PDB file of all heavy atoms in Angstrom:
ATOM      1  N   THR G   1      94.073 -51.835-237.842  1.00 95.00           N
ATOM      2  CA  THR G   1      93.167 -52.845-238.513  1.00 95.00           C
ATOM      3  C   THR G   1      92.659 -53.939-237.598  1.00 95.00           C
ATOM      4  O   THR G   1      91.404 -54.209-237.559  1.00 95.00           O
ATOM      5  CB  THR G   1      93.889 -53.502-239.663  1.00 95.00           C
ATOM      6  OG1 THR G   1      94.425 -52.446-240.641  1.00 95.00           O
ATOM      7  CG2 THR G   1      92.931 -54.379-240.457  1.00 95.00           C
ATOM      8  N   VAL G   2      93.493 -54.379-236.737  1.00 94.00           N
ATOM      9  CA  VAL G   2      93.111 -55.444-235.737  1.00 94.00           C
ATOM     10  C   VAL G   2      92.167 -54.799-234.818  1.00 94.00           C
ATOM     11  O   VAL G   2      91.149 -55.362-234.369  1.00 94.00           O
ATOM     12  CB  VAL G   2      94.414 -56.013-235.058  1.00 94.00           C
ATOM     13  CG1 VAL G   2      93.947 -56.900-233.837  1.00 94.00           C
ATOM     14  CG2 VAL G   2      95.260 -56.819-235.985  1.00 94.00           C
ATOM     15  N   LEU G   3      92.455 -53.544-234.350  1.00 93.00           N
ATOM     16  CA  LEU G   3      91.676 -52.859-233.377  1.00 93.00           C
ATOM     17  C   LEU G   3      90.244 -52.638-233.920  1.00 93.00           C
ATOM     18  O   LEU G   3      89.199 -52.823-233.280  1.00 93.00           O
ATOM     19  CB  LEU G   3      92.303 -51.543-232.920  1.00 93.00           C
ATOM     20  CG  LEU G   3      91.586 -50.818-231.789  1.00 93.00           C
ATOM     21  CD1 LEU G   3      91.479 -51.633-230.607  1.00 93.00           C
ATOM     22  CD2 LEU G   3      92.405 -49.456-231.540  1.00 93.00           C
ATOM     23  N   ALA G   4      90.184 -52.237-235.272  1.00 92.00           N
ATOM     24  CA  ALA G   4      88.889 -51.991-235.856  1.00 92.00           C
ATOM     25  C   ALA G   4      88.076 -53.274-235.895  1.00 92.00           C
ATOM     26  O   ALA G   4      86.862 -53.335-235.680  1.00 92.00           O
ATOM     27  CB  ALA G   4      89.173 -51.431-237.290  1.00 92.00           C
ATOM     28  N   LEU G   5      88.766 -54.397-236.226  1.00 93.00           N
ATOM     29  CA  LEU G   5      88.119 -55.701-236.286  1.00 93.00           C
ATOM     30  C   LEU G   5      87.484 -56.101-234.918  1.00 93.00           C
ATOM     31  O   LEU G   5      86.436 -56.791-234.774  1.00 93.00           O
ATOM     32  CB  LEU G   5      88.988 -56.773-236.840  1.00 93.00           C
ATOM     33  CG  LEU G   5      89.332 -56.502-238.379  1.00 93.00           C
ATOM     34  CD1 LEU G   5      90.376 -57.707-238.781  1.00 93.00           C
ATOM     35  CD2 LEU G   5      88.063 -56.708-239.208  1.00 93.00           C
ATOM     36  N   GLU G   6      88.430 -55.853-233.864  1.00 92.00           N
ATOM     37  CA  GLU G   6      87.971 -56.121-232.486  1.00 92.00           C
ATOM     38  C   GLU G   6      86.694 -55.311-232.172  1.00 92.00           C
ATOM     39  O   GLU G   6      85.737 -55.866-231.469  1.00 92.00           O
ATOM     40  CB  GLU G   6      89.091 -55.815-231.507  1.00 92.00           C
ATOM     41  CG  GLU G   6      90.251 -56.790-231.608  1.00 92.00           C
ATOM     42  CD  GLU G   6      91.389 -56.310-230.669  1.00 92.00           C
ATOM     43  OE1 GLU G   6      91.392 -55.098-230.271  1.00 92.00           O
ATOM     44  OE2 GLU G   6      92.324 -57.086-230.468  1.00 92.00           O
ATOM     45  N   MET G   7      86.650 -54.033-232.556  1.00 89.00           N
ATOM     46  CA  MET G   7      85.419 -53.270-232.220  1.00 89.00           C
ATOM     47  C   MET G   7      84.232 -53.833-233.081  1.00 89.00           C
ATOM     48  O   MET G   7      83.185 -53.850-232.525  1.00 89.00           O
ATOM     49  CB  MET G   7      85.723 -51.855-232.679  1.00 89.00           C
ATOM     50  CG  MET G   7      86.691 -51.102-231.718  1.00 89.00           C
ATOM     51  SD  MET G   7      86.921 -49.396-232.283  1.00 89.00           S
ATOM     52  CE  MET G   7      87.862 -48.797-230.861  1.00 89.00           C
ATOM     53  N   LEU G   8      84.444 -54.230-234.321  1.00 90.00           N
ATOM     54  CA  LEU G   8      83.453 -54.641-235.153  1.00 90.00           C
ATOM     55  C   LEU G   8      82.727 -55.896-234.583  1.00 90.00           C
ATOM     56  O   LEU G   8      81.493 -56.002-234.566  1.00 90.00           O
ATOM     57  CB  LEU G   8      84.008 -55.005-236.491  1.00 90.00           C
ATOM     58  CG  LEU G   8      83.001 -55.624-237.629  1.00 90.00           C
ATOM     59  CD1 LEU G   8      81.782 -54.638-237.893  1.00 90.00           C
ATOM     60  CD2 LEU G   8      83.706 -55.946-238.847  1.00 90.00           C
ATOM     61  N   VAL G   9      83.515 -56.898-234.071  1.00 89.00           N
ATOM     62  CA  VAL G   9      83.011 -58.074-233.596  1.00 89.00           C
ATOM     63  C   VAL G   9      82.562 -58.043-232.140  1.00 89.00           C
ATOM     64  O   VAL G   9      82.070 -58.973-231.456  1.00 89.00           O
ATOM     65  CB  VAL G   9      83.861 -59.278-233.795  1.00 89.00           C
ATOM     66  CG1 VAL G   9      84.291 -59.468-235.305  1.00 89.00           C
ATOM     67  CG2 VAL G   9      85.236 -59.092-232.982  1.00 89.00           C
ATOM     68  N   GLY G  10      82.845 -56.826-231.466  1.00 87.00           N
ATOM     69  CA  GLY G  10      82.468 -56.657-230.046  1.00 87.00           C
ATOM     70  C   GLY G  10      83.378 -57.478-229.144  1.00 87.00           C
ATOM     71  O   GLY G  10      82.807 -58.140-228.125  1.00 87.00           O
ATOM     72  N   ALA G  11      84.659 -57.393-229.344  1.00 88.00           N
ATOM     73  CA  ALA G  11      85.603 -58.045-228.516  1.00 88.00           C
ATOM     74  C   ALA G  11      85.543 -57.527-227.100  1.00 88.00           C
ATOM     75  O   ALA G  11      85.073 -56.385-226.876  1.00 88.00           O
ATOM     76  CB  ALA G  11      86.986 -57.934-229.047  1.00 88.00           C
ATOM     77  N   PRO G  12      85.994 -58.289-226.087  1.00 91.00           N
ATOM     78  CA  PRO G  12      86.065 -57.812-224.651  1.00 91.00           C
ATOM     79  C   PRO G  12      86.821 -56.441-224.629  1.00 91.00           C
ATOM     80  O   PRO G  12      87.929 -56.345-225.217  1.00 91.00           O
ATOM     81  CB  PRO G  12      86.671 -58.831-223.880  1.00 91.00           C
ATOM     82  CG  PRO G  12      86.415 -60.099-224.704  1.00 91.00           C
ATOM     83  CD  PRO G  12      86.488 -59.611-226.141  1.00 91.00           C
ATOM     84  N   PRO G  13      86.326 -55.477-223.880  1.00 88.00           N
ATOM     85  CA  PRO G  13      87.065 -54.196-223.722  1.00 88.00           C
ATOM     86  C   PRO G  13      88.444 -54.342-223.257  1.00 88.00           C
ATOM     87  O   PRO G  13      89.419 -53.574-223.683  1.00 88.00           O
ATOM     88  CB  PRO G  13      86.195 -53.444-222.710  1.00 88.00           C
ATOM     89  CG  PRO G  13      84.849 -54.000-222.830  1.00 88.00           C
ATOM     90  CD  PRO G  13      85.038 -55.455-223.221  1.00 88.00           C
ATOM     91  N   VAL G  14      88.797 -55.366-222.426  1.00 90.00           N
ATOM     92  CA  VAL G  14      90.161 -55.523-221.895  1.00 90.00           C
ATOM     93  C   VAL G  14      91.076 -55.846-223.135  1.00 90.00           C
ATOM     94  O   VAL G  14      92.169 -55.439-223.108  1.00 90.00           O
ATOM     95  CB  VAL G  14      90.209 -56.600-220.840  1.00 90.00           C
ATOM     96  CG1 VAL G  14      89.877 -57.964-221.251  1.00 90.00           C
ATOM     97  CG2 VAL G  14      91.488 -56.486-220.224  1.00 90.00           C
ATOM     98  N   LEU G  15      90.588 -56.694-224.077  1.00 92.00           N
ATOM     99  CA  LEU G  15      91.387 -57.144-225.280  1.00 92.00           C
ATOM    100  C   LEU G  15      91.663 -55.819-226.133  1.00 92.00           C
ATOM    101  O   LEU G  15      92.800 -55.597-226.633  1.00 92.00           O
ATOM    102  CB  LEU G  15      90.685 -58.183-226.029  1.00 92.00           C
ATOM    103  CG  LEU G  15      91.449 -58.612-227.290  1.00 92.00           C
ATOM    104  CD1 LEU G  15      92.758 -59.223-226.903  1.00 92.00           C
ATOM    105  CD2 LEU G  15      90.520 -59.687-227.999  1.00 92.00           C
ATOM    106  N   VAL G  16      90.672 -54.977-226.245  1.00 89.00           N
ATOM    107  CA  VAL G  16      90.804 -53.771-226.966  1.00 89.00           C
ATOM    108  C   VAL G  16      91.817 -52.961-226.465  1.00 89.00           C
ATOM    109  O   VAL G  16      92.584 -52.322-227.118  1.00 89.00           O
ATOM    110  CB  VAL G  16      89.359 -53.037-227.122  1.00 89.00           C
ATOM    111  CG1 VAL G  16      89.679 -51.623-227.660  1.00 89.00           C
ATOM    112  CG2 VAL G  16      88.404 -53.786-228.041  1.00 89.00           C
ATOM    113  N   LEU G  17      91.767 -52.723-225.079  1.00 90.00           N
ATOM    114  CA  LEU G  17      92.702 -51.989-224.401  1.00 90.00           C
ATOM    115  C   LEU G  17      94.200 -52.432-224.536  1.00 90.00           C
ATOM    116  O   LEU G  17      95.228 -51.741-224.516  1.00 90.00           O
ATOM    117  CB  LEU G  17      92.436 -51.680-222.913  1.00 90.00           C
ATOM    118  CG  LEU G  17      91.111 -50.924-222.770  1.00 90.00           C
ATOM    119  CD1 LEU G  17      90.898 -50.503-221.227  1.00 90.00           C
ATOM    120  CD2 LEU G  17      91.162 -49.548-223.539  1.00 90.00           C
ATOM    121  N   VAL G  18      94.306 -53.795-224.584  1.00 92.00           N
ATOM    122  CA  VAL G  18      95.721 -54.377-224.790  1.00 92.00           C
ATOM    123  C   VAL G  18      96.182 -53.954-226.064  1.00 92.00           C
ATOM    124  O   VAL G  18      97.357 -53.447-226.242  1.00 92.00           O
ATOM    125  CB  VAL G  18      95.627 -55.922-224.669  1.00 92.00           C
ATOM    126  CG1 VAL G  18      96.819 -56.570-225.210  1.00 92.00           C
ATOM    127  CG2 VAL G  18      95.372 -56.337-223.308  1.00 92.00           C
ATOM    128  N   THR G  19      95.416 -53.998-227.100  1.00 92.00           N
ATOM    129  CA  THR G  19      95.805 -53.490-228.494  1.00 92.00           C
ATOM    130  C   THR G  19      96.159 -52.016-228.445  1.00 92.00           C
ATOM    131  O   THR G  19      97.129 -51.620-229.067  1.00 92.00           O
ATOM    132  CB  THR G  19      94.657 -53.789-229.448  1.00 92.00           C
ATOM    133  OG1 THR G  19      94.293 -55.165-229.411  1.00 92.00           O
ATOM    134  CG2 THR G  19      95.225 -53.525-230.963  1.00 92.00           C
ATOM    135  N   VAL G  20      95.316 -51.261-227.752  1.00 90.00           N
ATOM    136  CA  VAL G  20      95.594 -49.858-227.528  1.00 90.00           C
ATOM    137  C   VAL G  20      97.002 -49.602-226.886  1.00 90.00           C
ATOM    138  O   VAL G  20      97.789 -48.744-227.315  1.00 90.00           O
ATOM    139  CB  VAL G  20      94.459 -49.130-226.689  1.00 90.00           C
ATOM    140  CG1 VAL G  20      94.897 -47.752-226.274  1.00 90.00           C
ATOM    141  CG2 VAL G  20      93.137 -49.125-227.519  1.00 90.00           C
ATOM    142  N   GLY G  21      97.251 -50.458-225.960  1.00 89.00           N
ATOM    143  CA  GLY G  21      98.631 -50.295-225.252  1.00 89.00           C
ATOM    144  C   GLY G  21      99.724 -50.532-226.239  1.00 89.00           C
ATOM    145  O   GLY G  21     100.784 -49.934-226.221  1.00 89.00           O
ATOM    146  N   VAL G  22      99.557 -51.644-227.007  1.00 91.00           N
ATOM    147  CA  VAL G  22     100.536 -51.991-227.998  1.00 91.00           C
ATOM    148  C   VAL G  22     100.832 -50.906-228.954  1.00 91.00           C
ATOM    149  O   VAL G  22     101.983 -50.480-229.230  1.00 91.00           O
ATOM    150  CB  VAL G  22     100.238 -53.266-228.708  1.00 91.00           C
ATOM    151  CG1 VAL G  22     101.154 -53.564-229.865  1.00 91.00           C
ATOM    152  CG2 VAL G  22     100.230 -54.446-227.866  1.00 91.00           C
ATOM    153  N   THR G  23      99.762 -50.238-229.523  1.00 91.00           N
ATOM    154  CA  THR G  23      99.961 -49.109-230.364  1.00 91.00           C
ATOM    155  C   THR G  23     100.539 -47.961-229.746  1.00 91.00           C
ATOM    156  O   THR G  23     101.333 -47.245-230.391  1.00 91.00           O
ATOM    157  CB  THR G  23      98.491 -48.699-231.034  1.00 91.00           C
ATOM    158  OG1 THR G  23      97.679 -48.191-229.939  1.00 91.00           O
ATOM    159  CG2 THR G  23      97.954 -49.876-231.724  1.00 91.00           C
ATOM    160  N   ALA G  24     100.176 -47.686-228.544  1.00 88.00           N
ATOM    161  CA  ALA G  24     100.791 -46.459-227.827  1.00 88.00           C
ATOM    162  C   ALA G  24     102.338 -46.697-227.581  1.00 88.00           C
ATOM    163  O   ALA G  24     103.128 -45.795-227.764  1.00 88.00           O
ATOM    164  CB  ALA G  24     100.299 -46.376-226.360  1.00 88.00           C
ATOM    165  N   ALA G  25     102.754 -48.006-227.205  1.00 87.00           N
ATOM    166  CA  ALA G  25     104.137 -48.217-227.019  1.00 87.00           C
ATOM    167  C   ALA G  25     104.907 -48.140-228.407  1.00 87.00           C
ATOM    168  O   ALA G  25     106.018 -47.523-228.418  1.00 87.00           O
ATOM    169  CB  ALA G  25     104.372 -49.630-226.477  1.00 87.00           C
ATOM    170  N   THR G  26     104.277 -48.588-229.385  1.00 88.00           N
ATOM    171  CA  THR G  26     104.939 -48.439-230.793  1.00 88.00           C
ATOM    172  C   THR G  26     105.004 -47.003-231.207  1.00 88.00           C
ATOM    173  O   THR G  26     106.025 -46.620-231.755  1.00 88.00           O
ATOM    174  CB  THR G  26     104.068 -49.251-231.793  1.00 88.00           C
ATOM    175  OG1 THR G  26     103.899 -50.574-231.370  1.00 88.00           O
ATOM    176  CG2 THR G  26     104.745 -49.298-233.183  1.00 88.00           C
ATOM    177  N   SER G  27     103.925 -46.165-230.995  1.00 87.00           N
ATOM    178  CA  SER G  27     104.003 -44.802-231.346  1.00 87.00           C
ATOM    179  C   SER G  27     105.146 -44.027-230.631  1.00 87.00           C
ATOM    180  O   SER G  27     105.636 -43.029-231.178  1.00 87.00           O
ATOM    181  CB  SER G  27     102.678 -44.142-231.080  1.00 87.00           C
ATOM    182  OG  SER G  27     101.582 -44.761-231.829  1.00 87.00           O
ATOM    183  N   THR G  28     105.446 -44.495-229.374  1.00 87.00           N
ATOM    184  CA  THR G  28     106.502 -43.842-228.569  1.00 87.00           C
ATOM    185  C   THR G  28     107.779 -43.883-229.203  1.00 87.00           C
ATOM    186  O   THR G  28     108.641 -42.930-229.022  1.00 87.00           O
ATOM    187  CB  THR G  28     106.557 -44.517-227.221  1.00 87.00           C
ATOM    188  OG1 THR G  28     105.177 -44.350-226.575  1.00 87.00           O
ATOM    189  CG2 THR G  28     107.495 -43.792-226.243  1.00 87.00           C
ATOM    190  N   VAL G  29     108.047 -44.908-230.015  1.00 87.00           N
ATOM    191  CA  VAL G  29     109.346 -45.008-230.640  1.00 87.00           C
ATOM    192  C   VAL G  29     109.448 -44.071-231.896  1.00 87.00           C
ATOM    193  O   VAL G  29     110.494 -43.564-232.189  1.00 87.00           O
ATOM    194  CB  VAL G  29     109.444 -46.490-231.223  1.00 87.00           C
ATOM    195  CG1 VAL G  29     110.846 -46.572-231.945  1.00 87.00           C
ATOM    196  CG2 VAL G  29     109.455 -47.575-230.144  1.00 87.00           C
ATOM    197  N   TYR G  30     108.324 -43.806-232.472  1.00 88.00           N
ATOM    198  CA  TYR G  30     108.233 -42.894-233.704  1.00 88.00           C
ATOM    199  C   TYR G  30     108.729 -41.417-233.321  1.00 88.00           C
ATOM    200  O   TYR G  30     109.446 -40.836-234.180  1.00 88.00           O
ATOM    201  CB  TYR G  30     106.869 -42.822-234.167  1.00 88.00           C
ATOM    202  CG  TYR G  30     106.698 -42.392-235.589  1.00 88.00           C
ATOM    203  CD1 TYR G  30     106.561 -43.384-236.653  1.00 88.00           C
ATOM    204  CD2 TYR G  30     106.658 -41.020-235.992  1.00 88.00           C
ATOM    205  CE1 TYR G  30     106.424 -42.958-238.000  1.00 88.00           C
ATOM    206  CE2 TYR G  30     106.548 -40.594-237.247  1.00 88.00           C
ATOM    207  CZ  TYR G  30     106.454 -41.584-238.233  1.00 88.00           C
ATOM    208  OH  TYR G  30     106.420 -41.216-239.548  1.00 88.00           O
ATOM    209  N   GLU G  31     108.336 -40.916-232.202  1.00 88.00           N
ATOM    210  CA  GLU G  31     108.477 -39.465-231.972  1.00 88.00           C
ATOM    211  C   GLU G  31     110.003 -39.107-231.860  1.00 88.00           C
ATOM    212  O   GLU G  31     110.442 -38.139-232.471  1.00 88.00           O
ATOM    213  CB  GLU G  31     107.772 -38.991-230.669  1.00 88.00           C
ATOM    214  CG  GLU G  31     107.879 -37.569-230.415  1.00 88.00           C
ATOM    215  CD  GLU G  31     107.277 -36.681-231.475  1.00 88.00           C
ATOM    216  OE1 GLU G  31     106.344 -37.196-232.204  1.00 88.00           O
ATOM    217  OE2 GLU G  31     107.711 -35.546-231.648  1.00 88.00           O
ATOM    218  N   PRO G  32     110.879 -39.847-231.017  1.00 89.00           N
ATOM    219  CA  PRO G  32     112.308 -39.439-231.033  1.00 89.00           C
ATOM    220  C   PRO G  32     112.917 -39.663-232.425  1.00 89.00           C
ATOM    221  O   PRO G  32     113.891 -38.931-232.722  1.00 89.00           O
ATOM    222  CB  PRO G  32     112.792 -40.353-229.990  1.00 89.00           C
ATOM    223  CG  PRO G  32     111.870 -41.517-229.779  1.00 89.00           C
ATOM    224  CD  PRO G  32     110.609 -40.905-230.114  1.00 89.00           C
ATOM    225  N   ALA G  33     112.514 -40.745-233.107  1.00 89.00           N
ATOM    226  CA  ALA G  33     113.093 -40.923-234.427  1.00 89.00           C
ATOM    227  C   ALA G  33     112.738 -39.744-235.369  1.00 89.00           C
ATOM    228  O   ALA G  33     113.607 -39.247-236.083  1.00 89.00           O
ATOM    229  CB  ALA G  33     112.512 -42.165-235.086  1.00 89.00           C
TER     230      ALA G  33
END
């Protein structure tokens, strides 16, 4: 939801990629579980 809002308001790409990195790290926990 945060990432969608960042895209909507045209946030800096680097900020978008930080959010992408956070979601990637979180998803990594899901798979072994």
Side-chain angles (χ1 to χ4, degrees):
T1 301
V2 170
L3 184 60
L5 293 174
E6 289 173 348
M7 290 180 172
L8 174 63
V9 301
V14 66
L15 179 59
V16 168
L17 292 190
V18 168
T19 307
V20 168
V22 171
T23 62
T26 305
S27 298
T28 304
V29 181
Y30 198 99
E31 185 60 28

